[in-house]
Structures are given as structure tokens and as C-alpha cells.
Amino acid sequence: MLAVLYATTLFVGAALLFLVQPLVGKLLLPLVGGTPGVWNTCMVFFQIVLLGGYLYAHRSTGKFGVRRQAVFHLLLLAAVIVSFKAAIAYTGSPVAVVPSMLPDDQDSLLLMVARLGVVVWISIGVPFFVLSTTSPLLQRWFATTGHPAAKDPYFLYAASNAGSLLGLLAYPLLIEPRLTLQDQQWVFAGGVLGYVALVVACALTVIRNGERPAPSAEPKGDVPEALGSELAPPTSVFPVSARRIGRWVVLATLPSSLLLGVTTHISTDLAPVPLLWVAPLALYLMSFILVFARWPDGVHRVVGRVTPMLLLFVVLTLLLNAAEPLALVVLLHMAAFFGVCLVCHGELAKDRPPAEYLTAFYFWLSFGGVLGGLFNALIAPLLFSSLGMVEYPLALVLAGAIRPHDDEQEGKLRVPDVVLVLVLLGLSVGLVLTVQQFLKMPVEQSAPDAVAQRLLRGGLMFGIPGVAAFALIRKPARYSLALAAILLAGAFDTGLFGETLHKERNFFGVIRVTRDGKFIKLIHGTTLHGQQRADEPGQPRPMTYYHQKGPVGNLFDALPRERVNNVAVVGLGTGAVASYAQPGQKWTFYEIDPAVVRIANDKQYFRFLSDCRGSCDVILGDARRHLNRAPDGAFDVIILDGFCSDAIPVHLLTREAIALYMSKLAPNGIIALHVSNAHLNLPPLIRRLADDHSPSLATRYCHDVPLDGEPEDGKTESQWMLLARSESDLAPVLNFNKTHAKKSFIQWDPVDLVDGPIWRDDFANLLRVWKRRGEE
């Protein structure tokens, strides 16, 4: 029963850790917006506090001994209860967010990070810190209980990661769809109180029975070495060398970095599907569960031999920009990532030290995980600002050098190995440059023979180098360099999107400006965010879903000129909608990505803003926060274009957000929403939000499909909705289409009312608006 008690406590504590992070993020989103500084600050805060919890577990057990440390930890548990009481007294909720302390958009980045860090600490810092101590602390306690399994308490780590996995899946699938944020706070507080009771029970087993020395065992790995480290327990020499610690850190850092890299790639470049980020994180946690639950050596060696082959296939899919068949490509990326996690975490499990040094082991694992997360989230966007998403290929290359320790084949790199890699690099670059001269990428990617032509072209460029790299697989260092050589050669390929005119990346991802035939395009990941014809002089015509023959063109054709004086646009893109501006009109754009603003204002790429006939202002920052500062009734038309990606800004589509838009809308004004989304059925949700508003709003919906010849002119399929205070406000648009029926093929239809959730700032259910098979 003792092992069950400790396993249950670890399970509950880890599950609560994974519940609190999205809870705090959703609490802050409507208040501070979705700027990357906010999310990155939250991520850094939680990772630093988690690392602090591991350091506390290590230092306190080393200084006090396990029994006295258990008594001291009871005081920390009491602090959790006090923090909840204080929060409830101040805000009425157990998680207290103090609005007066929130950062302002005008704050410097450093000040914003500092202020937001203080807000998060006040709201959840003490409970999160205590939860973060659970895994190393309780395993260390268990090692002194005298239980038959106490000699090797690392099996409890599997229970901890199982709890993390449950928390990860439970929040988006069970908790978020059913509970408001207020209810979630009370569920979390109740869970923490239950967790406190379990920890108290575990502490009593140590305090009552007295501390028994952890069963000693000779540490694995290199010869014991006194580090003199400040982190080492002061009562004994820490018998682990700096080299061994470095290996732990590397083996923990690589999967952590690869986790963020593969998540970004599949959710941005392959399948922009909501909640897809859950799958890689679930595999990451599952790998810990497997390897710390008596992972067989034979299986470990097999995984270590298969994974390098999977890495080569993943590298080739990156070089070929392969996205079809989608399920197979995503599965390949996931399998390679899972293999790397199993190899790295399996090596860590095999190299775990005796139980008395358990807390130090977990501290260094946590330190490596923090390094991987910080590198991808904060360092890489700055370091690779002009290169794109380099961290994912870089992690794949490094993963090629990781093998099971007892299965490495002549790991040292020799001169002949370097020569072979250089020959491979020369061959790969030569093939890329030669094939490009004779086989051009098809101008129209949707052409029937485009896929075959792309595969032939990519196969000639990278097929032979791929086979050559596979021949070098037995030596990890050599193989890793071979993968790097092929990827380096791929940089000379103009690729899928045509000639790259400009590329940069920041915290929002990679932005490209490309020239493909007669169009200059703005691309984020693989999503087209706007284009302009390069073969037409004069005023540029709006393209894609802003096309003159589409719903937006129809809207501005129908509205009388005197009804359109001030226009607000959420989402800038290339600025194409500015083409509809007339002299004397004022247009205000709200855009959160500074790279998009710079590119849209650069006349050598796009001229929509520079050639705007009205007055065009661009405001950088979260649209909802800035709209809130605009005068009431300021805008005749509000265009919302921010819901077509996988991670839609939910705080821009809630009951409170709709109320904000209506307050800023002039009498007789109209709101136009771009609701095209491959995975979410947004029109019924918006209809429910319109009916929920007091008084109810009038709605119309248009699903515009390009006619023959229009795709060649840059028009794309799109879905739009119109909202207004009354049907009479929509009358100019509806009557215009009746009187111009022979010229206008745009039809605005009523939206059927379908039962479902109404999104609010404290509640949103993505699963209930997921498109079912057959829905447009």
C-alpha cells in the first residue's frame, strides 16, 4: 500500500501541474492579449519555477536529511492553503489575477516580462512551486521507507509522467469543454487540497518511521569524482563526474528542443489542425513512462537502430516539402520524434544514479529540459531571424549522433569520415544546382502533373545523397554530419514556393515573400496570407479572399459612399483590403506581427498600403486591447480576419469581444468576418453569438467559390459573414445583389441556428465547433 500511496500522490501532483498552465494562460488572454511576449513569459516562468522546485528538493534533502526535510515541507504545504485563502479574500477566486499590475503595451519588453512574471507568481506561484517539487522529493522520501522497492524508486517516475499525460489530455478534452474558468479554478484548488492531504500522508510515513539510509549501490558510469559542486549534498561526495552530468543534460535537452520543433512544423507547415500540439507532447510523456517502467534492453537497442533510419526519411520530407499523403507524413515525423525520445530518455533511465543522488539527477534532467525549451522559444527566433525554422532540422542532425551507449559503432570521427562527408556535400550541392537548371518547379502547384514533377525533381536532387548518407549510418558522428550535408545542400533549392525574395522569422513563425510566376506572395509556414500581381502596373488589385469579385468587393460595391468613412481591419496580411479605401476615408489596421507590418509597408513587395487612396494607419499589438481604446461608435465597417489558422485567437470571438465590436460600430455599421477554416465550423457559433447579444444581431453568410478563370486571376475560395444591428443595416448589400443579379454572383444567405456553446472569456469549446465529415 505504501507504493500505491506514493504513486497516487505523484500521479495527482503531475496531473495538476499540467492543468494549471493552460488555466493561467486562458485567464490572462482576454486581459493582456495574445502577444508572444505574454506567452513566452508564461512559459519561461513555469519552466524556471519547475527548475526551482527541483533545486529545492535537492538542496533541502541534502541539508536537512529526509526526515527533517519532510517536517519542513509541511510548512510549505501550509503556505499553499494560506495563498488560496488570501486569493479568495481578495478576488473571490482561488487563482487571483490582479488587473492593476498587468503590463501595458507601451511597456518595454523587460518591464512587461517583469510585471507579468509578478502577476503570474501572485496568482499561482506558491501552489505551482509546491507541485513542482513532487517528483524528485517524493521519490527521495520513498527511498528511505524500507519498502522492498525503495532500492530503485525510479519506477515512480512512470506514475508521475502518467499523471502529466492525463492532465495534458484531460484539459482540452474534458475540462475546457465543460467548465468555465471560474469552475476550473475551484476544481484546481480542490485538487491541490487533495494533493496536500496525500503529501501529508507520505510525510508522516517518513517522520513516524524515522529516516533509513537509502540502499547504497555503486553508481553506474564513469569513475566517481568529487566535484565540489554547490549542488552536491554536503554530507557526502557526489560520485558523478562533470562529463556524466553533461551527458544527462544533453540527453534531456535534445528531446525537449525536438518536441517544440516537431510541434511547430506539423501544426504550421503540414496540418494546421487545432489541438494537434497535444500529440507530440503526449508521446514525449509516454516515452518517460515506458523507459522508467522497466524498459527492456533488447527493445531499447532495436529502437536505437530504427530511429536513425526514420531521421533520414524525415530529413528527405523536409527537403522535398512533402505534405501528402498527410497522414503518412505526420506519422513519419511523430515516429522519428518518439524514437529519439525513447533513445534519449532510455539512456537516462539506464544511467540513473543510486537513490541517494536521485534529486540531483532530476535537477539536471529538468535543467536540460529548460535549456531545450528556452532555446526554441526565445533564442532561436532571435538567432535564426533571417534563416527560418532552423532549430528543427538542427535537432534532427544532432539526434543522428545519439545511439544506445552499448550499441555505438566506432563513435569517434576520423579523417576518412570527414572526407566522405565533404564528398557527399559536394555531390548534393552539385545535384541541386544541376537539376534546377533542367527541371523547374511547376508554376501552378495545383496542376495535375505538379506532384509528379516535384517528386521527380526532388528525387534526382536528394535521392542519391540520401542513399549515400544511409551507407554511413553505422558511425553516429559521421551519420549526423551526413544529414547536415544534405540539409545544407537543400538550402540551394528554390523550393516549393518559387523564388524567395525575403524570409524572416520571429516568435510568430516564418514569413516568406516569394515570386511564383506572375504573383508575389506572402506565406506564413505553408499558408498563403496574400498576393499581388507583379505583371500589372498602376493601382494593385486585391487578390485571394479580398478579390473584387468576392464577398469583400461586393460589400464595398454595395455600401453607399457616405456610409463608409472610418474602417477598422483586424489582421493586416499584405494590406490588400486597403485597395477599397476611397479619398477622405480613414482606415485603421490592427496587426500583432511586426514582420507582417514591415513587409506590407515595403513597396518593393506589396503596394496596397503605399497606394492607398485614403488614410491608412497600422497599429501594432493585440487587436482587442487596442480596439478597447478607440472611441465608441467610431467605425462604419469593422473587418475581422484572424480566424483561418489552426490556433485561432479565441479571445477575439467571444461574447465579450462581440459586445466590444458593437460598441465601436457606428449607427448602421456592418461587421464583416472572414470565417474560412479548414477544421472549425465557425458560422453557427457566430450566429449563436449574434442571437446572444442584446438586442440580437442580424447575420448573413456567403461561401464564395471562384468561377472559371478566377483562380488564375488570384481569387481564392472564402467564407464570410456579415453582422449588423438590424436587417435594415444590411439592406444596401442585399438589395444591391438583387438589382445586380446578372453581374453579381455573390449571395448572402441566412445562417441556420444550431444548438451549441456560446464562447465567453471564461469558456470556449473548440471540440463542439469542429467540422464534421461533409461540412464545408
Side-chain angles (χ1 to χ4, degrees):
M1 290 299 294
L2 190 63
V4 173
L5 170 63
Y6 275 81
T8 302
T9 308
L10 282 160
F11 183 90
V12 172
L16 290 169
L17 269 178
F18 269 76
L19 292 180
V20 68
Q21 297 183 48
L23 169 61
V24 172
K26 289 181 71 67
L27 282 170
L28 291 175
L29 182 60
L31 299 174
V32 294
T35 56
V38 173
W39 296 114
N40 291 327
T41 300
C42 290
M43 186 208 71
V44 171
F45 173 85
F46 286 124
Q47 288 190 320
I48 289 176
V49 174
L50 184 65
L51 184 62
Y54 277 55
L55 180 59
Y56 158 81
H58 173 63
R59 292 295 294 152
S60 61
T61 53
K63 183 174 183 177
F64 299 125
V66 173
R67 187 180 186 185
R68 284 186 296 169
Q69 195 279 333
V71 175
F72 176 79
H73 196 67
L74 294 178
L75 299 177
L76 199 59
L77 295 177
V80 174
I81 299 175
V82 171
S83 71
F84 278 145
K85 286 187 175 180
I88 294 170
Y90 183 75
T91 65
S93 301
V95 181
V97 176
V98 184
S100 61
M101 301 185 67
L102 291 170
D104 190 81
D105 284 345
Q106 307 305 317
D107 290 340
S108 65
L109 179 61
L110 183 61
L111 180 59
M112 185 193 71
V113 169
R115 292 180 64 176
L116 190 62
V118 171
V119 169
V120 178
W121 174 259
I122 292 174
S123 66
I124 206 68
V126 175
F128 187 87
F129 177 79
V130 172
L131 289 170
S132 70
T133 69
T134 306
S135 185
L137 192 61
L138 266 68
Q139 289 182 65
R140 185 68 181 91
W141 288 1
F142 183 76
T144 65
T145 59
H147 189 276
K151 184 177 180 180
D152 186 14
Y154 289 94
F155 74 93
L156 290 172
Y157 197 41
S160 175
N161 282 282
S164 301
L165 183 60
L166 175 68
L168 168 70
L169 298 177
Y171 190 84
L173 300 180
L174 298 176
I175 295 176
E176 185 182 34
R178 290 173 172 80
L179 301 176
T180 66
L181 285 178
Q182 184 75 5
D183 293 335
Q184 291 175 34
Q185 293 180 55
W186 289 105
V187 168
F188 170 72
V192 171
L193 293 179
Y195 160 82
V196 167
L198 289 170
V199 175
V200 169
C202 292
L204 292 178
T205 65
V206 175
I207 296 170
R208 287 176 178 176
N209 298 332
E211 181 177 349
R212 304 182 186 183
S216 61
E218 289 298 321
K220 303 175 183 179
D222 34 31
V223 179
E225 176 184 330
L227 295 179
S229 170
E230 186 181 355
L231 295 176
T235 56
S236 63
V237 174
F238 187 37
V240 182
S241 70
R243 180 181 179 183
R244 188 174 176 193
I245 290 175
R247 187 169 184 268
W248 290 347
V249 172
V250 169
L251 290 173
T253 301
L254 182 58
S256 175
S257 173
L258 199 58
L259 166 66
L260 298 183
V262 71
T263 301
T264 300
H265 179 70
I266 64 174
S267 61
T268 302
D269 297 340
L270 292 182
V273 178
L275 303 181
L276 186 59
W277 59 270
V278 171
L281 186 51
L283 293 177
Y284 179 81
L285 295 172
M286 196 177 299
S287 68
F288 277 115
I289 297 172
L290 293 174
V291 301
F292 279 92
R294 308 295 187 265
W295 183 242
D297 286 343
V299 176
H300 185 60
R301 285 194 294 271
V302 171
V303 173
R305 292 173 182 174
V306 171
T307 300
M309 292 184 277
L310 294 174
L311 292 173
L312 176 59
F313 290 125
V314 170
V315 166
L316 292 176
T317 63
L318 293 177
L319 292 168
L320 296 172
N321 291 298
E324 296 292 343
L326 179 60
L328 179 61
V329 175
V330 171
L331 181 62
L332 181 60
H333 284 270
M334 296 285 196
F337 165 68
F338 191 42
V340 173
C341 289
L342 288 173
V343 172
C344 292
H345 296 157
E347 287 297 291
L348 288 169
K350 289 172 63 178
D351 197 32
R352 60 191 183 273
E356 59 185 311
Y357 308 111
L358 175 148
T359 54
F361 175 69
Y362 282 126
F363 169 79
W364 291 114
L365 261 63
S366 176
F367 182 71
V370 169
L371 285 182
L374 293 181
F375 177 76
N376 279 59
L378 298 180
I379 299 175
L382 301 175
L383 190 62
F384 306 130
S385 59
S386 60
L387 297 177
M389 203 70 65
V390 175
E391 58 270 26
Y392 182 40
L394 179 61
L396 294 172
V397 168
L398 296 176
I402 303 296
R403 307 289 170 85
H405 193 65
D406 55 358
D407 196 40
E408 293 182 357
Q409 304 289 331
E410 302 180 34
K412 293 183 178 180
L413 192 65
R414 305 180 187 277
V415 173
D417 298 323
V418 176
V419 172
L420 284 174
V421 171
L422 291 176
V423 171
L424 175 60
L425 176 60
L427 171 65
S428 302
V429 173
L431 283 171
V432 169
L433 296 177
T434 302
V435 172
Q436 281 187 137
Q437 297 300 317
F438 296 98
L439 281 178
K440 301 292 184 181
M441 286 292 291
V443 174
E444 296 297 337
Q445 298 298 330
S446 59
D449 59 343
V451 175
Q453 190 173 341
R454 283 170 47 198
L455 289 176
L456 174 62
R457 185 175 180 272
L460 292 174
M461 285 182 178
F462 306 114
I464 296 174
V467 173
F470 183 78
L472 307 178
I473 199 170
R474 289 183 62 81
K475 291 187 176 182
R478 183 180 64 183
Y479 182 63
S480 177
L481 289 177
L483 295 179
I486 300 176
L487 286 165
L488 183 60
F492 292 89
D493 181 19
T494 55
L496 174 64
F497 304 109
E499 179 188 1
T500 298
L501 305 178
H502 174 80
K503 180 167 68 173
E504 67 175 283
R505 61 84 55 88
N506 54 21
F507 297 106
F508 293 97
V510 179
I511 293 287
R512 291 184 182 90
V513 179
T514 66
R515 180 165 186 155
D516 186 4
K518 58 191 176 184
F519 294 109
I520 296 177
K521 301 181 178 182
L522 176 64
I523 297 170
H524 175 237
T526 55
T527 302
L528 178 65
H529 277 275
Q531 62 186 13
Q532 175 182 307
R533 290 194 67 137
D535 58 348
E536 292 183 348
Q539 179 85 16
R541 293 188 294 118
M543 298 283 139
T544 62
Y545 40 80
Y546 285 128
H547 198 277
Q548 292 167 310
K549 295 183 179 179
V552 176
N554 177 256
L555 173 66
F556 285 104
D557 284 343
L559 287 177
R561 187 71 56 86
E562 61 272 13
R563 276 190 57 175
V564 183
N565 295 304
N566 292 298
V567 178
V569 183
V570 175
L572 176 61
T574 60
V577 73
S579 299
Y580 294 106
Q582 299 296 324
Q585 294 178 352
K586 181 179 180 181
W587 287 57
T588 305
F589 291 85
Y590 298 91
E591 173 57 50
I592 198 171
D593 190 342
V596 171
V597 175
R598 286 194 299 272
I599 292 172
N601 278 292
D602 194 330
K603 292 189 289 186
Q604 65 176 320
Y605 304 132
F606 303 103
R607 294 181 287 107
F608 297 110
L609 290 181
S610 63
D611 291 3
C612 176
R613 289 167 291 186
S615 170
C616 290
D617 295 328
V618 179
I619 297 178
L620 182 63
D622 182 77
R624 179 165 164 180
R625 294 192 78 185
H626 285 285
L627 268 173
N628 197 47
R629 300 166 186 167
D632 288 347
F635 301 109
D636 302 295
V637 177
I638 299 177
I639 299 174
L640 301 171
D641 183 13
F643 312 115
C644 57
S645 69
D646 63 315
I648 67 171
V650 172
H651 70 299
L652 298 183
L653 205 56
T654 63
R655 170 192 288 165
E656 294 80 359
I658 296 295
L660 171 65
Y661 305 146
M662 297 309 299
S663 71
K664 306 304 174 183
L665 196 65
N668 308 121
I670 293 177
I671 297 176
L673 301 95
H674 183 207
V675 295
S676 303
N677 193 289
H679 305 284
L680 301 179
N681 188 15
L682 297 177
L685 168 66
I686 296 171
R687 168 64 196 274
R688 291 193 293 272
L689 288 168
D691 281 13
D692 176 72
H693 189 271
S694 182
S696 297
L697 305 176
T699 60
R700 286 293 188 277
Y701 167 74
C702 176
H703 183 183
D704 181 43
V705 179
L707 302 176
D708 291 342
E710 290 181 342
E712 291 74 15
D713 191 44
K715 184 182 179 183
T716 56
E717 181 178 353
S718 64
Q719 299 174 60
W720 287 85
M721 286 191 68
L722 299 180
L723 269 65
R725 294 186 178 90
S726 66
E727 290 286 337
S728 61
D729 293 338
L730 295 177
V733 179
L734 304 180
N735 294 335
F736 176 86
N737 289 326
K738 290 179 181 178
T739 57
H740 296 78
K742 294 183 179 180
K743 296 181 180 180
S744 174
F745 296 96
I746 300 300
Q747 184 174 344
W748 295 97
D749 299 313
V751 182
D752 293 334
L753 181 60
V754 179
D755 183 49
I758 294 174
W759 286 3
R760 307 182 299 274
D761 282 350
D762 68 341
F763 177 80
N765 185 348
L766 281 174
L767 297 179
R768 286 291 303 274
V769 296
W770 202 286
K771 283 186 177 179
R772 300 174 183 175
R773 183 173 297 180
E775 287 184 334
E776 296 180 346

